[in-house]
Amino acid sequence: MKKSIFILVILYLSAYYGFPRGTDHPGPQLTVEKIMQNPDHWIGTLPMSASWLPDNQTFFFEWKKDTNGLRKIYKATVQNPKPLPMTDREKKNIVPLGGIYNKNHDKELYAKNGDLFLYDLINKHLKQLTFTVARENALGFSDPDTTVYFLSGNNVFALSLYTGEIRQLTDFKKGEKTSEKPEYSGKNEKWLHEQQLQLFEVLQERKSKSEARKKEQEKERPARPRTIYTGKGTPSGITISPDEHFITWLIFHYPSNTKQTDIPHFVNESGYTSIQHSRSKAGTPYYTSVDLFVFDRKNDTVFRISPEQIPGIHTPPAYWKEYPGRDTSGFTRHVLFTAPKWSKDGKQVFTDIYALDHKDRWIMLLDPSTGNLDLLDRQHDEAWIGGPGISMWWARTGWMPDNQRIWFQSEATGYSHLYTVDVTTHKRKALTKGKFEIYFPFISKDRRHWYFYSNEVNPGERHFYRMDLDGKNRVRLTFMEGRNDVALSPDEKHMVIRHSFSNQPWELYLKENVPDAKPVQLTHSLTKAFTAYPWRIPRNITFKARDGVKVPARLYLPDHPVQGGPAVIFVHGAGYLQNAHKWWSDYYHEYMFHNLLADRGYIVLDIDYRGSAGYGRNWRTAIYRHMGGKDLDDQIDGAKYLVRKYGVSPQRIGIYGGSYGGFITLMAMFTQPGVFTSGAALRSVTDWAHYNHGYTSEILNTPVEDSLAYVRSSPIYFVDGLKGNLLMCHGMVDDNVHFQDIVRLTQRLIELGKDNWELAVYPVERHGFVEPSSWTDEYKRILKLFETTLKFK
C-alpha cells in the first residue's frame, strides 16, 4: 500500500512539476524532420486573439485555414459558444471596436476601407459618412459632438453630423512660401510705367476698372483655410482640439544622403539577381529630430514649440566623461515630440517628449496659445528609458476622467508601474507598486476601474486584473496558469481569453468577468499527431550567478540523466525578451527540439539572462555599454550550475541560439574557450556597428561617440579566441541581421586560419525562417554538431 502511494505521489509530482519524461514514456519518437515540418499540419492552426461586436454577445477571431492557406474568420456568441465560419456578408458588416469615441462613449467614429463610419452604440445604428476614392482617417469629435473631424490627403476636415456639410480646416503644402514677384524689375521700368499712365487716359481707365473687378472678386471669394508650408517634411500625428481652436502636427527631420545596405536576392522568379535596399547602420538615425507645431485658427498664427524649454536639453550624457577632451560647449540634445493628447473637455493638452539619446522622457503640459511647456514628470536613466508602457513607441498615457490628472507608466521604483500626476499641483501618485510589472493598462467604460495585465503572481505568468481608479481593491480575474490575453466584451460582462501553458499551445476560452467564474474552452486546435507525444513541462528554476543574483531559467531533464552526461544551453533572441516563462513560447521550434534533445539524454537549460524582459529596470539595463558582459556571464554560470547540480561533464556542454542568441554564442565561443565544447550561432549579430540604429543606440550609444562600448561588445574583435567547434547558419536575404554580418566574420576566420567551423547559408530565408525545409536542414546540422562532439564515443 505504501509503495502504491509513493508511486502515485511521484506520478503527481512528475505531472505537476514537469519531471523528465520521454523515451520510456508512451508516445512517438521525435525526429528533426517531424518537429520542423509545417506547424499548421503538425501542431495545428492556433486561434488568434478575439474581437467583439457591439452587440455584447458576438465575438470573432481568425482560426483555421482554407485551401489557399489563408486564415478563416470564425464567430461565436455568449449563448452559443461553438465557433462557426463567418459568411462574406457578415465579414463585410463587421463594426470594429477600438475606434474614436465621443465624450459620453455612446458614439464611435472609425475608418474602414478608406471611408468614414459612425456607429451609435445606444441605438445600434451604423451610418456611412463618406464614400470616396480618397482615403479618410478618423480624427475625433467636437464638444458637443455635432461634428466629426477626419484626415483626407493629409489635411483636416470637419463634417457636420446635422447638415452633412464638409469644411476644410488646413491646407498643408510641402516647400517654402515664395515671395511675390516684384511689379518692377528696376527703377527705370517703374518710371516708364508711371509715364505711360500719365500720358494716356485709356490706360488709367483700364487700370481702375481692373482693380475694381479684383476687389469685387475678393469679396465674393469664399473663406479658405490658411496655406501652411511644411518645408521638406510631411505633417503626421495631427490632432485637433474639440473646439477647433487649435490644430497640432509633427514634422520628422531625416538625415540627408543616408547610405543603405543592398541585399542581393539570388533565388527569385525572374532568374536575375535582384537588389533589395535595406536599412542603414548604427550611428545613422532614422530621424534627427521631431518638431511639434501649433496652428491657432482663431488668431491665424502658426508656431513651433521650442525644445529649449525642456530641462536638461543641454546636459551631455554621463558616459562622455570616459572620453576626456570632448567638447561640450554648445551641446544640445535632439528630441522627439509625440502627438499631443487633449483632455475630453478640450481645455488642456499634454505631450510626451523623448530624448533621441534615449536617456530622458518628459511629460509636459502644453499651453497651445503661447507654446509654453510645463514639466509634469521627468524620467531619466543613464542607460536608456524603457520598460513596459514606457518605451518611445509603446508608451501608455492618457487623461483621467476628471480631466485634471494624467496617467502614465514609470520605472521610478525599478519596475514599470502605473502613476497619475495632477496638472495643477504636479502631485504624483503611484497606483501600483511591488516587484512586478504592469502591462497595457486602460480605464473601464464606466470610468470607475482600471484593467491591466501583471506578472505579480510569478514573473513567468501573465494575468488580467481590475482595480479601482484610486489604486485600491486590485482583483485578479484570470487563474489559468500560464499567460492569459483577454478581449473584454463592450459591456465588460464577459471576456474571451487566449491562453497557453508551457506545453499547451494557444486556445480560446469564454468566461464571465467575475473572479470565480469558470472558463469554457472554445477551440480545440491541436492535431492527434502532436498530442500523441507527452510534451515536457520545463522546470522553472533559478540559479545563483557569480554576483549573487538569482537567474531565472527553464530546465529540461532526460528520463535517466547520467553522471558526466551532455548538456545544451539555449540563448533566446531579441535581448529584451522573456522565454523562461510558463506559456507557449514563440520559440516553439526550439521547445520541441529541447524535448528531442532530452529524449536523447541531454539536459537543456534556457536562461532569461541579464537584459531579458519581465524582471524590472536593473535586469533590463544590466547590459548597458557591454553586451556580452553580464548576459554572457549568466550563460557561463548556468553551465557551472549544471556541472555542480546535475553532474554534467564540463567537456560535454554545447550552446546555441539565434539573433541575439547567436551573438551570445559567438561571444561564448570566442571569449570563454573551454566552457563550451561546441556552439551553433544562428542569424548572428557579429558587429554591433552594422546592426540597426534604433535598437543598438539605446544600449551602446553610437559607434562614433562610444567606440569603447562597440569594441568590447562585438564578436568580430574576438575571433582569434575560437577553440571549440562552431556552426554558423544565416539566411542570405536577412534584412534584420544582414548576411554581410556573417560574411565579414567568415573572412576573419579564414584570415586567422581557424579550424573546426562551418557556415550553412539559406538563399531564400530572411531573419525568421519560413520554409520547413530550411528549418529542418538547420536543426539537423545543430543536432549533428552536438551528437558528434558532446556525446560519449
Side-chain angles (χ1 to χ4, degrees):
M1 179 68 178
K2 291 182 179 179
K3 184 176 181 181
S4 299
I5 293 173
F6 176 77
I7 291 172
L8 287 172
V9 170
I10 292 297
L11 289 173
Y12 171 79
L13 291 173
S14 175
Y16 187 79
Y17 288 104
F19 284 178
R21 301 175 292 174
T23 52
D24 60 355
H25 191 87
Q29 182 178 359
L30 295 181
T31 64
V32 172
E33 290 82 359
K34 178 179 289 185
I35 63 178
M36 297 299 162
Q37 64 181 295
N38 187 322
D40 291 328
H41 300 158
W42 157 235
I43 301 173
T45 303
L46 308 180
M48 306 300 286
S49 296
S51 299
W52 288 82
L53 293 180
D55 63 7
N56 299 309
Q57 295 294 309
T58 309
F59 52 92
F60 60 97
F61 53 93
E62 293 183 9
W63 192 18
K64 299 177 181 179
K65 295 184 177 180
D66 61 21
T67 54
N68 295 317
L70 301 177
R71 285 181 175 269
K72 294 189 287 187
I73 298 179
Y74 283 74
K75 70 170 184 177
T77 66
V78 173
Q79 300 301 321
N80 182 17
K82 181 180 179 180
L84 297 171
M86 278 187 124
T87 66
D88 290 341
R89 182 180 180 85
E90 287 173 327
K91 287 187 284 187
K92 185 177 180 180
N93 292 330
I94 287 176
V95 176
L97 296 178
I100 297 175
Y101 295 91
N102 64 342
K103 187 176 180 179
N104 296 325
H105 210 91
D106 55 15
K107 291 185 178 66
E108 179 191 6
L109 178 69
Y110 66 92
K112 184 177 180 181
N113 298 324
D115 290 310
L116 280 183
F117 293 81
L118 182 70
Y119 186 74
D120 188 320
L121 281 81
I122 304 299
N123 299 314
K124 312 297 182 186
H125 179 257
L126 179 65
K127 182 179 182 181
Q128 184 166 352
L129 301 180
T130 64
F131 190 83
T132 67
V133 174
R135 295 189 67 84
E136 289 89 31
N137 292 296
L139 201 56
F141 287 87
S142 64
D143 183 21
D145 50 8
T146 58
T147 301
V148 296
Y149 305 111
F150 65 93
L151 292 174
S152 181
N154 217 38
N155 275 300
V156 182
F157 292 81
L159 186 154
S160 171
L161 296 178
Y162 292 144
T163 66
E165 176 192 62
I166 294 178
R167 294 175 290 119
Q168 184 171 344
L169 304 183
T170 63
D171 181 25
F172 292 121
K173 289 185 178 179
K174 263 191 170 185
E176 305 294 340
K177 184 178 180 180
T178 56
S179 55
E180 293 184 8
K181 189 176 180 180
E183 190 173 0
Y184 313 106
S185 59
K187 293 181 178 179
N188 190 56
E189 286 78 3
K190 181 181 179 182
W191 186 89
L192 290 173
H193 177 81
E194 292 174 349
Q195 183 201 41
Q196 292 292 95
L197 293 176
Q198 291 173 359
L199 292 175
F200 304 104
E201 290 185 9
V202 65
L203 295 180
Q204 294 178 23
E205 292 175 3
R206 289 179 179 179
K207 183 179 180 181
S208 297
K209 289 179 181 179
S210 175
E211 291 175 345
R213 280 196 299 271
K214 286 182 180 179
K215 288 181 180 179
E216 288 300 315
Q217 289 172 354
E218 287 294 329
K219 292 179 183 178
E220 296 173 1
R221 182 175 297 169
R224 300 295 186 195
R226 170 178 175 167
T227 298
I228 299 172
Y229 293 91
T230 62
K232 296 180 180 179
T234 300
S236 62
I238 299 171
T239 76
I240 183 169
S241 60
D243 60 3
E244 297 185 14
H245 189 161
F246 300 101
I247 293 173
T248 72
W249 65 94
L250 306 173
I251 293 291
F252 284 71
H253 300 283
Y254 301 95
S256 58
N257 301 319
T258 300
K259 188 172 179 61
Q260 295 180 313
T261 301
D262 290 338
I263 300 176
H265 289 241
F266 295 102
V267 181
N268 54 44
E269 294 181 6
S270 72
Y272 292 88
T273 300
S274 59
I275 299 298
Q276 174 192 348
H277 300 298
S278 186
R279 59 165 174 78
S280 55
K281 300 179 187 288
T284 303
Y286 305 129
Y287 33 80
T288 54
S289 65
V290 182
D291 286 333
L292 173 61
F293 289 83
V294 175
F295 175 26
D296 183 335
R297 296 185 64 248
K298 289 185 179 178
N299 295 308
D300 197 32
T301 56
V302 175
F303 52 89
R304 169 180 172 267
I305 304 301
S306 173
E308 289 294 317
Q309 308 172 68
I310 301 173
I313 195 70
H314 296 294
T315 305
Y319 75 87
W320 275 30
K321 295 176 183 177
E322 293 190 27
Y323 297 91
R326 183 167 287 178
D327 184 14
T328 61
S329 59
F331 175 82
T332 300
R333 303 164 74 190
H334 298 289
V335 300
L336 177 147
F337 283 87
T338 64
K341 292 186 177 180
W342 295 89
S343 58
K344 281 293 184 181
D345 61 10
K347 295 180 180 179
Q348 302 188 92
V349 62
F350 75 91
T351 179
D352 214 350
I353 310 167
Y354 289 84
L356 289 182
D357 63 13
H358 312 292
K359 303 186 189 312
D360 272 285
R361 175 195 185 191
W362 303 269
I363 300 175
M364 305 191 78
L365 196 69
L366 169 65
D367 182 342
S369 61
T370 64
N372 291 335
L373 295 170
D374 181 19
L375 181 66
L376 300 174
D377 183 76
R378 179 181 179 181
Q379 298 173 28
H380 176 77
D381 197 316
E382 282 300 340
W384 74 95
I385 293 293
I390 299 169
S391 300
M392 190 178 296
W393 298 114
W394 306 101
R396 307 280 296 184
T397 60
W399 285 92
M400 295 292 283
D402 60 11
N403 293 309
Q404 183 60 30
R405 291 172 296 157
I406 291 165
W407 64 267
F408 60 96
Q409 287 180 254
S410 169
E411 283 184 324
T413 63
Y415 293 83
S416 180
H417 280 289
L418 189 57
Y419 293 81
T420 61
V421 61
D422 189 292
V423 298
T424 301
T425 66
H426 293 194
K427 183 178 180 181
R428 189 175 69 174
K429 179 182 179 181
L431 301 182
T432 59
K433 61 182 179 179
K435 292 184 177 181
F436 58 90
E437 309 252 62
I438 298 297
Y439 303 87
F440 305 109
F442 64 94
I443 296 175
S444 64
K445 184 179 177 181
D446 63 11
R447 305 176 191 175
R448 296 171 56 191
H449 300 97
W450 287 102
Y451 286 106
F452 55 80
Y453 298 93
S454 165
N455 63 358
E456 179 177 1
V457 171
N458 184 291
E461 294 190 49
R462 196 75 62 85
H463 289 283
F464 194 56
Y465 290 79
R466 182 177 63 237
M467 181 178 74
D468 293 347
L469 276 189
D470 60 3
K472 297 178 181 178
N473 302 317
R474 186 163 70 245
V475 177
R476 181 177 164 188
L477 297 172
T478 59
F479 293 87
M480 291 184 286
E481 189 177 10
R483 177 164 174 163
N484 301 266
D485 294 343
V486 170
L488 274 180
S489 60
D491 60 7
E492 298 176 0
K493 293 181 179 180
H494 293 87
M495 63 176 70
V496 177
I497 306 171
R498 187 173 183 255
H499 169 264
S500 73
F501 185 55
S502 303
N503 67 342
Q504 298 166 8
W506 299 99
E507 300 285 9
L508 295 185
Y509 297 77
L510 178 65
K511 179 183 180 293
E512 287 186 64
N513 188 15
V514 291
D516 55 356
K518 184 179 179 181
V520 176
Q521 187 169 346
L522 302 172
T523 59
H524 297 81
S525 309
L526 305 181
T527 66
K528 289 182 179 180
F530 181 79
T531 56
Y533 178 83
W535 298 101
R536 288 171 173 79
I537 301 172
R539 294 190 193 183
N540 286 83
I541 65 157
T542 60
F543 62 86
K544 187 176 288 189
R546 64 191 66 186
D547 57 0
V549 173
K550 290 184 177 181
V551 180
R554 300 211 299 186
L555 181 70
Y556 301 75
L557 292 175
D559 287 324
H560 306 291
V562 296
Q563 280 293 115
V568 169
I569 290 180
F570 169 67
V571 190
H572 70 68
Y576 190 62
L577 178 147
Q578 186 177 12
N579 203 48
H581 50 58
K582 295 185 179 182
W583 60 83
W584 184 247
S585 176
D586 288 340
Y587 288 98
Y588 58 86
H589 288 100
E590 291 78 358
Y591 166 79
M592 294 186 290
F593 184 60
H594 298 161
N595 276 267
L596 181 153
L597 288 175
D599 285 351
R600 291 175 176 244
Y602 294 83
I603 293 176
V604 182
L605 190 64
D606 175 0
I607 304 171
D608 270 348
Y609 50 86
R610 245 65 74 92
S612 298
Y615 307 98
R617 182 265 169 196
N618 290 344
W619 203 265
R620 175 179 67 80
T621 61
I623 60 173
Y624 177 58
R625 300 189 70 221
H626 191 186
M627 292 191 275
K630 289 184 178 180
D631 46 1
L632 177 56
D633 289 345
D634 290 342
Q635 318 300 326
I636 308 304
D637 294 342
K640 293 177 180 177
Y641 165 78
L642 294 179
V643 173
R644 183 176 66 251
K645 177 77 173 177
Y646 294 99
V648 167
S649 168
Q651 288 76 44
R652 294 190 173 91
I653 304 177
I655 185 171
Y656 89 103
S659 195
Y660 198 96
F663 150 73
I664 287 290
T665 298
L666 292 176
M667 289 294 276
M669 298 301 293
F670 296 163
T671 68
Q672 301 290 330
V675 176
F676 300 102
T677 299
S678 302
L682 322 174
R683 54 194 183 276
S684 314
V685 177
T686 69
D687 185 346
W688 287 107
H690 286 253
Y691 194 52
N692 74 57
H693 178 81
Y695 177 90
T696 316
S697 63
E698 285 186 333
I699 305 171
L700 300 181
N701 304 306
T702 68
V704 171
E705 294 185 336
D706 200 0
S707 58
L708 294 175
Y710 279 79
V711 170
R712 63 176 166 236
S713 300
S714 296
I716 201 164
Y717 291 100
F718 304 100
V719 176
D720 197 36
L722 177 64
K723 303 295 183 186
N725 309 285
L726 176 62
L727 167 67
M728 301 176 294
C729 301
H730 214 111
M732 294 181 71
V733 292
D734 190 334
D735 48 12
N736 181 7
V737 180
H738 296 150
F739 184 61
Q740 181 192 25
D741 257 47
I742 206 66
V743 172
R744 294 175 71 243
L745 188 79
T746 300
Q747 181 61 27
R748 288 286 293 155
L749 288 164
I750 293 170
E751 289 182 3
L752 292 169
K754 290 297 174 179
D755 299 318
N756 301 326
W757 63 270
E758 68 174 82
L759 171 64
V761 301
Y762 299 86
V764 299
E765 296 293 359
R766 298 181 188 273
H767 195 61
F769 282 15
V770 174
E771 299 301 327
S773 57
S774 300
W775 279 105
T776 300
D777 182 89
E778 182 178 52
Y779 275 79
K780 283 172 65 177
R781 293 176 185 275
I782 298 170
L783 181 60
K784 181 181 178 181
L785 172 72
F786 293 154
E787 290 281 79
T788 56
T789 62
L790 303 182
K791 296 293 283 289
F792 290 107
K793 296 180 181 178

